[in-house]
Amino acid sequence: MEKLNPESRYSQKDHHNQCNIWKRIAIVFMLVSLILVVVLVYAFVTMQQPTSHKQDTRISSVVQDTRRIKAKLPPSVFADLTPLEMMNVQNVLLENQTLGLVPFNKAMVYSSYIYLMELFLPTKVSVLKYIDKEGEKPERRAKVIIFRGNVKPPRVEEYIVYPVQRPTVVERYYNPSYRTHPIPYNSRPIDGIEGTLLMEILKNATEILYPILMQSFGVSHHNCTSRTPNCVTLFDSAPRGEKSGDRSTWFSMSRNVDRLFTSPVPFQIEVEHSGSDVTTWGPRRVYYNEMMFASIQDLIDTYNSDQSVRFTRSEANGDKTNASQWDYSHSIPKDANENERTTSPPCNNPTQKSYTVEEHHVTYKDWTLDYRTNPERGIHLHDVKFRGERIAYEVSLQEAAVFYSGWDPLQIKSKYFDSGWLIGASSKELMPGVDCPNTASYLDVWHFTGNKPAKYRNSICVFEHDNELPLRRHYSSSVAGSFYFAAGMADKVLVIRFICTSGNYDYIFDYILHQNGVLQVRTSASGFLQASSTNSHTQLYGVPIGKGVAGYLHHHMFNFKADLDVAGDTRNRFSSIDIELEKIDNIVMKNNKSLIQTKLQHRLKKNEKEAAIKYSFDHPKYYIIYNENKENSYGTKRGLRIKLDGMAKQLLPEGHEEEQGASFSRYQLAITKHKDSEETSTCLYTQNDPWNPLLDFQKYLDNNESIVDQDLVAWITLGTYHIPHSEDVPNTATPTNQVNFFISPYNYYDEDPSITSDEGVVIRSKKGGKEVEIQGKQQLSNSCKGNNYLTVMGYNGTVG
């Protein structure tokens, strides 16, 4: 074995030390590199998050909240904008120096700022290619509405911003359905910025009028700090003016109590607020004691010089000296002994659910669908499928309008288009056990209206419900009375509900899925009447509902869009099946006697004007959208029937004043060829300029395009005239104020598809009727009745 040279050992030790040094350097380098990688990864991730605008630190809490509700899956093509996507878009726009936007919380009417943001849907063709696995997922985009108060002349502009995950493109959007550009500034909705200025004008005006208000009505406004009957609040009506381009609003005075909409004071004031120069704004005319005055000063001068114009307080005209009579809550039982009150037993749905809701996707037995929410119109259903076949690409509310009649400015001027008051963003938290069952699934919604993304907690509910009515049933027995069988199925449905409060009214919107493939859309009205003080003309327009208070005639109109695809096909036809009379000679009749009976006449509608329906009860009919190339097993064309339950005729002459903004209401049903540009029947700006509406639904029909073998859209209008009555106080009740439409299979299947449901029950006679055999579900869905109810009842189908 070779001996080592001592000197060589020293050199190896030095070499070993040098290696250790380099190893330490390498380790340090690796640690530094690792830190750099972590920093780069963090920087990349934070770049995906919206960067705070230097003047806007208000969104940090939203970021924390969205992390708690982070989606399990990427947003679907129909899903609402996420809060992070909204903030991405907001920050890009705020940092755009060309636009020069001001954060909402720092903006004035004469500023440029973001008013609203929502999802901008891709074209239907691109969406269908994606969801049918034939194309890539379309890019997610946002539509943003900006009020440009600092440009000359001021205007409203709309922009498309994309991709919302990390925006790089900001494009001006010119909606092809709008009749003019730019969008007039005076047609914009009222927001919190403008509303604050208007309230200040009214505060100053009522301070000047304080002596008259106290002497006449015993009320004040400018110095009120509490909610009492002696304090009044002022609420606005719309549209704002008398012709296109106007912007003046009538404000009505009501006692500031729970029942403020039915506690009016006979005083109304008009405020001019046109344009963005607030120095020109101010009070104009005044309505007092059934008289119109040109200005506040005109009223003061006349009041002081002529005592005959003064309002005289009395019990008859609503002066209740006992303030507590004004102030009891409308929801607390009145004049009832606590010991005599009875409450209904709680009846809740089963805790075991037959449906799922995940990331805007709903499944229920044979149904699947996606939903999204819109601040203007609420819930939209998309890609609605039954047994795997698409029956509708979209079903959605378009407008909830109500036109009043009366004598005072409030009733005469009230022609409301609630999309202009943001139906979706007016849908607040639902009350479990009242608005929806306790066991319902409650869903949050995010909207962006001005300041930042806002969470609307529990504003949608989804629940399974037993309609307490058989979906189908039959009892069979012999002539002698022997029992053969009884069969049926409970109509258990899934309900998707949201409720909006638009001023005085509350509208309950239900999308209802039945197990036989029927989609029902129901609207129910509740809330307060919009009342006015009684006057010498009340009997012509209204009904007294209290001392000195009357409710006035009004017409509710609800317009819906149903983009129907028969069996997933976009090439369909529309026809009516008319029920007509015929006179025939028939061999059944003796002596060849003729008879008159009804017969069917199929009429294909070839163009949009032929398919604009003004229903006549003298000519009953069915309305069918069908596919010429798809048949059931019996050779009948597969189709979908549109059934309207709640039709009302628009009595105003076509083109008269505000009716122009509601041209959809001329027709109970209208069928058009699908166009991505014809997205809605009204727009955000219709409310404040219905005289020359930016979007005129009638133009969709005037194109008069062919609708044979085309992608068809149904525009459905339901309505009801409401003549108020005293039982509308405190609130209008829903049972007599509901309208519906149904989309039902029509020769779509070979038999009722609910026949395969596990909810069906058949009871057959056995052993000569001495026993029965129960097949199918033996328990009913209502937990109040308990399980195995049929067995407990001892059902045997016999008489005697």
Side-chain angles (χ1 to χ4, degrees):
M1 185 174 182
E2 184 178 357
K3 294 182 180 180
L4 294 177
N5 189 320
E7 292 184 0
S8 69
R9 286 202 298 269
Y10 288 123
S11 62
Q12 288 178 3
K13 182 178 180 180
D14 292 340
H15 177 72
H16 180 71
N17 290 338
Q18 290 177 3
C19 288
N20 287 337
I21 293 172
W22 283 110
K23 285 181 180 178
R24 292 190 186 99
I25 293 173
I27 291 171
V28 171
F29 179 80
M30 289 175 64
L31 289 173
V32 170
S33 300
L34 182 60
I35 292 171
L36 286 173
V37 168
V38 171
V39 170
L40 288 172
V41 170
Y42 176 80
F44 177 81
V45 171
T46 53
M47 287 175 68
Q48 308 307 306
Q49 309 283 347
T51 55
S52 297
H53 190 272
K54 61 183 178 181
Q55 295 178 327
D56 188 7
T57 60
R58 63 189 181 278
I59 60 179
S60 59
S61 61
V62 178
V63 175
Q64 295 172 2
D65 204 351
T66 57
R67 284 172 183 162
R68 288 196 295 269
I69 62 163
K70 185 177 180 180
K72 299 177 183 177
L73 301 171
S76 78
V77 68
F78 299 114
D80 304 332
L81 294 175
T82 68
L84 292 180
E85 290 173 336
M86 294 177 188
M87 291 187 292
N88 289 341
V89 173
Q90 179 189 35
N91 288 329
V92 164
L93 292 172
L94 288 175
E95 292 165 359
N96 188 308
Q97 295 184 359
T98 302
L99 290 174
L101 303 185
V102 176
F104 187 89
N105 60 350
K106 299 181 183 298
M108 296 297 292
V109 172
Y110 45 80
S111 306
S112 285
Y113 59 92
I114 298 171
Y115 169 69
L116 183 145
M117 185 188 306
E118 62 189 22
L119 178 71
F120 184 72
L121 271 184
T123 64
K124 181 178 178 180
V125 170
S126 64
V127 171
L128 290 182
K129 284 184 178 179
Y130 168 67
I131 61 180
D132 292 339
K133 314 280 187 208
E134 296 175 0
E136 295 182 354
K137 184 177 182 180
E139 196 169 45
R140 284 174 60 77
R141 302 185 175 196
K143 185 174 88 170
V144 184
I145 296 172
I146 297 177
F147 291 172
R148 303 301 306 274
N150 65 338
V151 300
K152 302 296 182 183
R155 58 181 178 263
V156 178
E157 294 176 350
E158 297 182 347
Y159 288 83
I160 305 301
V161 181
Y162 60 94
V164 292
Q165 295 88 346
R166 191 177 182 186
T168 56
V169 180
V170 178
E171 293 179 343
R172 180 83 176 273
Y173 178 57
Y174 297 90
N175 190 320
S177 291
Y178 291 173
R179 299 165 64 202
T180 184
H181 289 281
I183 300 167
Y185 197 60
N186 280 352
S187 69
R188 75 194 187 281
I190 296 282
D191 63 8
I193 294 170
E194 185 176 13
T196 299
L197 294 175
L198 292 173
M199 289 300 104
E200 189 64 28
I201 291 171
L202 291 170
K203 181 179 179 180
N204 295 334
T206 55
E207 183 174 8
I208 297 170
L209 290 164
Y210 177 74
I212 294 178
L213 295 176
M214 284 301 297
Q215 292 171 21
S216 300
F217 315 116
V219 300
S220 65
H221 174 70
H222 75 283
N223 59 351
C224 283
T225 57
S226 61
R227 190 177 175 90
T228 67
N230 295 326
C231 283
V232 291
T233 187
L234 294 109
F235 63 90
D236 56 334
S237 58
R240 307 178 194 280
E242 299 177 3
K243 65 182 185 305
S244 181
D246 285 354
R247 196 170 179 86
S248 62
T249 298
W250 278 99
F251 288 85
S252 300
M253 189 172 284
S254 287
R255 296 178 186 271
N256 196 6
V257 293
D258 282 356
R259 297 186 181 189
L260 69 91
F261 290 107
T262 54
S263 305
V265 172
F267 181 94
Q268 298 170 34
I269 185 169
E270 182 185 29
V271 176
E272 170 67 34
H273 52 114
S274 181
S276 60
D277 183 358
V278 298
T279 63
T280 64
W281 294 12
R284 296 296 185 263
R285 294 179 292 171
V286 178
Y287 176 82
Y288 167 85
N289 198 18
E290 294 190 53
M291 291 173 280
M292 188 70 73
F293 298 88
S295 64
I296 290 176
Q297 193 59 50
D298 182 27
L299 169 60
I300 293 173
D301 293 342
T302 307
Y303 184 90
N304 291 332
S305 62
D306 185 357
Q307 291 190 7
S308 66
V309 306
R310 298 182 181 182
F311 182 86
T312 303
R313 285 192 279 168
S314 69
E315 272 290 318
N317 59 39
D319 174 36
K320 298 181 179 178
T321 55
N322 182 1
S324 64
Q325 293 185 45
W326 288 104
D327 203 27
Y328 66 84
S329 171
H330 62 272
S331 58
I332 297 175
K334 183 183 177 185
D335 300 331
N337 188 305
E338 187 71 33
N339 296 326
E340 296 176 355
R341 296 177 189 168
T342 59
T343 58
S344 301
C347 290
N348 296 326
N349 289 347
T351 56
Q352 184 176 359
K353 294 178 171 61
S354 301
Y355 65 91
T356 61
V357 183
E358 184 177 6
E359 309 301 339
H360 293 83
H361 184 72
V362 178
T363 62
Y364 173 65
K365 296 185 182 292
D366 288 330
W367 290 94
T368 64
L369 60 88
D370 286 270
Y371 74 91
R372 68 182 175 99
T373 57
N374 176 289
E376 298 163 53
R377 294 176 173 83
I379 291 179
H380 294 231
L381 304 187
H382 285 284
D383 194 26
V384 182
K385 293 179 179 178
F386 187 75
R387 289 190 168 182
E389 287 186 315
R390 183 180 308 109
I391 62 172
Y393 176 74
E394 177 185 356
V395 180
S396 60
L397 172 69
Q398 293 295 298
E399 189 60 86
V402 57
F403 285 14
Y404 282 80
S405 300
W407 182 256
D408 63 38
L410 171 64
Q411 306 299 339
I412 287 177
K413 293 303 301 175
S414 290
K415 306 290 188 294
Y416 295 120
F417 296 81
D418 286 346
S419 66
W421 302 76
L422 302 183
I423 292 171
S426 299
S427 303
K428 305 299 173 56
E429 185 169 5
L430 298 167
M431 294 183 286
V434 178
D435 295 328
C436 310
N438 290 322
T439 54
S441 299
Y442 290 85
L443 309 175
D444 300 337
V445 171
W446 288 83
H447 291 304
F448 188 105
T449 53
N451 192 28
K452 62 180 181 180
K455 182 168 73 172
Y456 288 64
R457 182 175 178 267
N458 297 342
S459 61
I460 297 174
C461 68
V462 181
F463 58 93
E464 197 170 3
H465 173 64
D466 190 332
N467 272 337
E468 303 295 342
L469 181 74
L471 178 67
R472 49 180 171 78
R473 64 97 62 196
H474 182 66
Y475 174 92
S476 177
S477 63
S478 69
V479 176
S482 299
F483 168 61
Y484 291 156
F485 73 90
M489 174 179 166
D491 187 20
K492 186 183 290 185
V493 300
L494 188 75
V495 181
I496 303 171
R497 173 176 293 170
F498 76 101
I499 303 176
C500 87
T501 300
S502 187
N504 57 302
Y505 262 109
D506 294 64
Y507 295 125
I508 304 163
F509 297 102
D510 292 332
Y511 297 92
I512 305 171
L513 309 179
H514 295 261
Q515 292 187 54
N516 63 342
V518 173
L519 170 60
Q520 177 185 357
V521 180
R522 179 176 63 201
T523 301
S524 309
S526 188
F528 286 105
L529 294 174
Q530 178 182 276
S532 285
S533 299
T534 53
N535 55 56
S536 56
H537 304 276
T538 293
Q539 64 179 353
L540 295 175
Y541 309 106
V543 176
I545 58 170
K547 293 181 179 180
V549 180
Y552 288 83
L553 168 67
H554 51 282
H555 179 198
H556 291 281
M557 296 162 279
F558 304 98
N559 184 251
F560 293 86
K561 176 183 181 182
D563 185 343
L564 302 180
D565 297 341
V566 177
D569 200 326
T570 57
R571 297 162 297 177
N572 298 301
R573 299 184 177 191
F574 174 65
S575 72
S576 63
I577 305 177
D578 297 6
I579 303 172
E580 300 180 347
L581 292 176
E582 67 169 0
K583 183 176 181 180
I584 62 170
D585 295 327
N586 193 291
I587 60 172
V588 174
M589 307 301 292
K590 293 180 179 180
N591 301 321
N592 292 323
K593 181 180 178 181
S594 63
L595 62 87
I596 296 175
Q597 64 177 2
T598 53
K599 69 172 184 177
L600 301 179
Q601 183 68 49
H602 295 255
R603 286 192 167 88
L604 175 68
K605 310 300 181 183
K606 296 181 180 180
N607 55 56
E608 291 173 325
K609 287 191 175 180
E610 288 183 6
I613 307 299
K614 297 180 180 179
Y615 192 81
S616 169
F617 284 95
D618 292 331
H619 302 94
K621 58 196 67 185
Y622 274 25
Y623 297 111
I624 310 295
I625 289 180
Y626 68 96
N627 191 287
E628 180 68 13
N629 300 313
K630 296 183 184 294
E631 299 177 346
N632 65 14
S633 297
Y634 314 120
T636 309
K637 308 300 181 186
R638 300 179 72 190
L640 297 167
R641 180 190 174 198
I642 302 172
K643 182 181 185 296
L644 309 181
D645 182 9
M647 294 181 285
K649 180 179 175 60
Q650 172 61 273
L651 296 177
L652 295 178
E654 292 186 8
H656 176 74
E657 299 292 338
E658 296 91 350
E659 189 277 342
Q660 296 177 83
S663 58
F664 63 83
S665 68
R666 299 169 189 173
Y667 314 98
Q668 287 75 43
L669 176 64
I671 306 296
T672 61
K673 177 183 176 180
H674 173 271
K675 291 182 179 177
D676 290 306
S677 60
E678 294 180 353
E679 184 182 5
T680 59
S681 61
T682 62
C683 70
L684 189 66
Y685 316 103
T686 303
Q687 174 62 92
N688 291 327
D689 192 354
W691 308 281
N692 184 28
L694 195 63
L695 190 157
D696 183 0
F697 176 77
Q698 183 63 44
K699 300 301 180 186
Y700 294 1
L701 306 177
D702 290 345
N703 295 333
N704 202 28
E705 294 189 70
S706 170
I707 57 171
V708 178
D709 297 331
Q710 299 291 338
D711 190 358
L712 301 184
V713 177
W715 306 87
I716 299 161
T717 301
L718 306 173
T720 181
Y721 283 93
H722 188 177
I723 303 174
H725 50 93
S726 56
E727 291 82 7
D728 281 319
V729 178
N731 295 133
T732 294
T734 58
T736 57
N737 293 281
Q738 292 182 346
V739 292
N740 300 262
F741 74 89
F742 301 82
I743 299 170
S744 62
Y746 192 78
N747 299 311
Y748 205 94
Y749 302 102
D750 293 344
E751 61 181 353
D752 182 346
S754 72
I755 199 67
T756 61
S757 171
D758 61 0
E759 303 287 341
V761 175
V762 179
I763 305 175
R764 298 185 184 279
S765 174
K766 291 176 60 179
K767 297 183 179 180
K770 295 180 180 179
E771 296 181 12
V772 296
E773 177 185 19
I774 302 175
Q775 299 171 317
K777 280 214 167 183
Q778 298 182 32
Q779 68 273 6
L780 302 184
S781 61
N782 192 329
S783 61
C784 289
K785 296 178 181 177
N787 293 330
N788 301 314
Y789 193 61
L790 291 170
T791 304
V792 172
M793 283 286 292
Y795 188 96
N796 61 24
T798 59
V799 177

